[in-house]
Amino acid sequence: MDYTTLKSLKPSEFSDAADGYRTTSDMASAAKDRIENQIAVAMQKSNEGKARDEALKQLRELGENFHYVQVECGLASAALNGFAYDLEAAKRKLDAAVQDAQAEKFTVNPDGSITYPAGGEDVDGKVPQGGTVSGLTDDAAGAIGRQAANLDPNPYHRRAQDYADLIADALREATEADERWAPKLRALKADDDLTVSDKDWADASSDTKGVAGAGSQYLDSLPQPPKNGSPKDNAEWWKNLTADEQAAWISMEPDVVGRLDGVPAVVRDEANRIVLDVTRGKMQMELNSIPKPPINEWTWIAPGGHASKVHTDDWMEWYNKYGERYDHLTKSLGGMQAIQDRFDATGKTDKNSKGGLPEAYLLGFSAEGNGRAIVANGNPDTADHQAVYVPGTTSNLGKVGGDLNRMTDLWRVANSEALGQSVSTITWLGYDAPQKLGRDSPFEHYAYDGAPALRDFMDGLDASHSGDSDPHRTVIAHSYGSTLVGAAAETGRLNTDDVVFAGSPGVKVSHARELDVPEGHVWNEEADGDVVPDIGRFGHGGDGWVVPSDPSFGANQMTTDTEGHSGYWDVSSDSLRNQALVTVGKGDDVRLEPQPDPWARVK
């Protein structure tokens, strides 16, 4: 970039263009929301048949198109603001140098060089001559230039050289900004078809990294999230950002915004849906690049005359090279599809409940490791009643669909019992659960490792709530999830009004009064045929845990008419309805049963 260009440049024009892209992004977001949460919902309720299903499919594709426009235009806005920020810094440096040079009656030439007049004490009867100097940005050349200026008896020479160097430095910064941003802005160009493909979303991931990398100085100039801040700190940080600053954070660092407890649910949802879509695009593209497993996976061999079924050599060769990654990608993509299916189910009605499912909010998402997914049915920030479900052993992103279904079923029943008050039920897969019952679940470190994250999430629900009054909050924990809940209460404040355990192997405390809730607000379900409580009660090397279904624990034992370890959310069951009654604060209506003798089964 040359002197004339930078001198006449107006960074505000790029900021104005950024505002235009931000407006377009907001319009695309509004259109997406209207399609998915109004038009599609109305169609879910009023029509049936193949024609409706095909129309819904097309509406969802259109909604995805608008989401892609929202993301890409948001990135374009952030990029242009970042470019304007970098140019503004260079422009300020240039203008200051020119103004100071002209104040000393120096001449700033069209190429950025400085002409200075004759001056100084006479040398051999002559006033030292003036001259013209150009800016030097190379360290070695700059040192030589400054040395020459210092040796010149004309004092204007050194000051002119300083101004020329400042101008050259400003031109260098502007040129570097131009070269850094030009490819990033060119990359923000979609292909010419009307389909948003996995490749498009994978490109969006690359675009996000590119804009965030090029705009690091711009992002660093913005107010930063509190380091190790509490949910209340996070909420205050977000509240104090300007609209442009909020938009920049969502576009450039959606994963940062999406995981901050205390930030409003609508904001976390917007950020995490970006993370979800770009992650899904990247993973699907990677999966497509892996050769499919051989068709012939199994063969028979007969060593010693005894037939045995073994993997074929071709399959073993493929699995050793690709299998672990192939399985991870396949399972993770399955979990992402389950989340998308929940989005698509908004407005869907059910014969067993009143009204269609509310809008879903993605409050947390990651595909790293076992994965994370936090999904709310209904906006928790405005809900009168919140229920947070903590799943147990074997929970991971690939299996999250079952956990999501449990909370949609709970929402339907709770909503019908809420007498017009609003309900939000949340699946909280926010920790690394044990993945093997025998290998991992006996160990308590999974619970203690995950406890701080649960407490922060619960505090975040408090910090982001915008209703007229405090909500009624319930934690529902299944299996090892109850161990985590107990560890969270044991080591800190749980921030809930009621706790419900289902199929608990033990909660790390010996009595309900130690669970940081009012007396009488700890509830338990243990179904016939559920062996997990017995594993907790009699396992752990003979040093069993206290189980919430033991009489000495002091929990309310709710009627449980389901069987086994996974039936507590069976539709139309008392087990599910009792949980719903607790969720909406109607504990007095819960059906209780006498506490059985836990030792009777082993006498």
Side-chain angles (χ1 to χ4, degrees):
M1 186 174 293
D2 58 28
Y3 171 79
T4 302
T5 300
L6 183 58
K7 189 71 175 68
S8 60
L9 187 143
K10 297 179 179 178
S12 61
E13 293 179 347
F14 295 100
S15 298
D16 291 343
D19 290 342
Y21 274 103
R22 171 52 53 191
T23 298
T24 303
S25 177
D26 291 342
M27 291 172 62
S29 176
K32 166 188 169 292
D33 290 344
R34 184 164 185 268
I35 287 169
E36 294 180 349
N37 300 320
Q38 296 181 35
I39 299 174
V41 168
M43 188 169 290
Q44 288 262 35
K45 294 179 179 178
S46 61
N47 296 283
E48 293 182 359
K50 293 182 179 180
R52 182 204 67 169
D53 293 344
E54 182 60 31
L56 283 172
K57 178 182 177 182
Q58 293 183 24
L59 282 172
R60 288 163 185 155
E61 290 174 353
L62 182 59
E64 184 178 14
N65 286 357
F66 277 119
H67 190 210
Y68 181 74
V69 172
Q70 173 194 352
V71 171
E72 288 292 288
C73 287
L75 283 171
S77 175
L80 287 167
N81 274 327
F83 185 37
Y85 173 84
D86 291 346
L87 288 180
E88 182 64 41
K91 185 75 162 52
R92 284 196 302 268
K93 181 179 288 188
L94 175 74
D95 290 345
V98 170
Q99 183 178 0
D100 290 346
Q102 291 175 339
E104 293 201 46
K105 308 302 182 183
F106 295 168
T107 300
V108 181
N109 300 308
D111 63 353
S113 62
I114 301 289
T115 297
Y116 58 93
E121 297 181 0
D122 289 357
V123 177
D124 296 331
K126 297 180 180 180
V127 175
Q129 295 180 346
T132 299
V133 293
S134 296
L136 302 169
T137 57
D138 179 78
D139 289 343
I144 295 172
R146 286 187 294 274
Q147 184 179 27
N150 288 330
L151 293 174
D152 191 337
N154 185 338
Y156 297 133
H157 187 172
R158 176 56 195 263
R159 294 205 293 276
Q161 186 65 62
D162 288 342
Y163 295 136
D165 288 348
L166 286 172
I167 290 172
D169 197 42
L171 293 174
R172 176 187 58 79
E173 290 180 6
T175 299
E176 289 176 351
D178 188 47
E179 293 174 346
R180 182 169 63 252
W181 280 109
K184 307 307 178 187
L185 288 165
R186 280 196 297 269
L188 298 175
K189 181 180 179 182
D191 50 31
D192 58 359
D193 60 35
L194 296 177
T195 301
V196 178
S197 65
D198 295 320
K199 183 177 183 300
D200 290 326
W201 282 116
D203 287 343
S205 173
S206 177
D207 292 341
T208 302
K209 290 180 180 178
V211 171
S216 58
Q217 293 182 2
Y218 168 58
L219 200 60
D220 288 345
S221 75
L222 303 180
Q224 301 295 298
K227 187 175 182 181
N228 301 320
S230 68
K232 186 176 180 180
D233 294 333
N234 297 337
E236 194 67 19
W237 167 74
W238 184 260
K239 177 183 175 182
N240 290 330
L241 294 178
T242 67
D244 282 344
E245 289 169 346
Q246 291 177 348
W249 275 106
I250 291 175
S251 293
M252 300 171 74
E253 296 285 353
D255 56 330
V256 171
V257 176
R259 65 173 176 258
L260 285 178
D261 295 312
V263 170
V266 292
V267 175
R268 296 182 72 175
D269 177 65
E270 180 181 353
N272 283 312
R273 290 203 192 203
I274 295 173
V275 178
L276 172 69
D277 281 338
V278 299
T279 301
R280 181 166 49 186
K282 285 172 54 182
M283 283 192 157
Q284 188 62 60
M285 291 293 291
E286 183 182 354
L287 182 63
N288 293 344
S289 70
I290 297 177
K292 294 293 187 292
I295 296 175
N296 297 322
E297 179 179 352
W298 300 97
T299 188
W300 291 90
I301 60 175
H306 299 284
S308 299
K309 188 178 181 181
V310 297
H311 288 294
T312 63
D313 290 343
D314 287 345
W315 191 90
M316 287 300 300
E317 181 181 357
W318 172 87
Y319 191 82
N320 289 334
K321 190 172 183 180
Y322 305 109
E324 186 173 338
R325 186 60 180 169
Y326 183 90
D327 287 346
H328 176 73
L329 292 170
T330 301
K331 292 174 182 177
S332 296
L333 286 166
M336 291 180 230
Q337 184 58 53
I339 295 172
Q340 184 62 52
D341 289 344
R342 171 56 192 92
F343 295 159
D344 295 343
T346 296
K348 191 173 182 179
T349 58
D350 182 272
K351 64 181 180 180
N352 296 309
S353 65
K354 300 176 182 178
L357 284 176
E359 183 178 353
Y361 293 80
L362 186 59
L363 305 181
F365 175 80
S366 172
E368 297 297 321
N370 293 333
R372 300 283 190 274
I374 306 173
V375 181
N377 301 296
N379 188 344
D381 290 350
T382 58
D384 298 304
H385 302 280
Q386 304 165 337
V388 179
Y389 166 64
V390 183
T393 302
T394 76
S395 298
N396 55 52
L397 178 59
K399 298 178 179 179
V400 76
D403 296 318
L404 298 180
N405 290 339
R406 288 173 177 177
M407 286 303 97
T408 57
D409 290 336
L410 177 65
W411 183 90
R412 292 186 188 280
V413 182
N415 183 59
S416 68
E417 297 283 353
L419 301 177
Q421 292 186 311
S422 56
V423 178
S424 177
T425 58
I426 304 167
T427 298
W428 186 81
L429 178 56
Y431 79 113
D432 285 323
Q435 293 302 294
K436 296 289 186 180
L437 180 62
R439 183 193 68 188
D440 300 330
S441 59
F443 296 100
E444 60 186 20
H445 71 84
Y446 294 98
Y448 287 107
D449 290 347
L454 177 62
R455 288 197 301 269
D456 283 347
F457 181 76
M458 303 300 290
D459 289 343
L461 292 177
D462 236 8
S464 63
H465 195 263
S466 57
D468 295 332
S469 59
D470 291 338
H472 169 254
R473 187 174 300 125
T474 303
V475 172
I476 301 172
H478 181 226
S479 190
Y480 192 90
S482 66
T483 309
L484 185 150
V485 170
E490 180 190 17
T491 56
R493 180 170 176 263
L494 190 54
N495 201 350
T496 189
D497 301 299
D498 285 273
V499 172
V500 175
F501 296 127
S504 173
V507 298
K508 304 308 301 170
V509 296
S510 59
H511 197 277
R513 70 173 67 96
E514 300 175 57
L515 284 169
D516 193 32
V517 293
E519 185 175 353
H521 287 260
V522 177
W523 313 81
N524 184 70
E525 294 182 335
E526 180 179 341
D528 290 342
D530 187 350
V531 301
V532 170
D534 280 346
I535 293 175
R537 183 178 286 120
F538 306 118
H540 308 287
D543 185 19
W545 293 346
V546 176
V547 175
S549 51
D550 293 343
S552 62
F553 188 78
N556 298 307
Q557 302 300 321
M558 299 193 290
T559 298
T560 307
D561 59 345
T562 53
E563 294 185 358
H565 190 56
S566 302
Y568 296 99
W569 294 269
D570 286 354
V571 175
S572 300
S573 66
D574 283 346
S575 302
L576 179 59
R577 183 171 182 271
N578 281 334
Q579 291 184 37
L581 290 170
V582 174
T583 294
V584 298
K586 297 169 69 175
D588 290 343
D589 294 339
V590 170
R591 296 181 62 187
L592 300 178
E593 59 185 17
Q595 174 64 46
D597 180 0
W599 298 98
R601 69 191 73 188
V602 294
K603 289 178 180 177

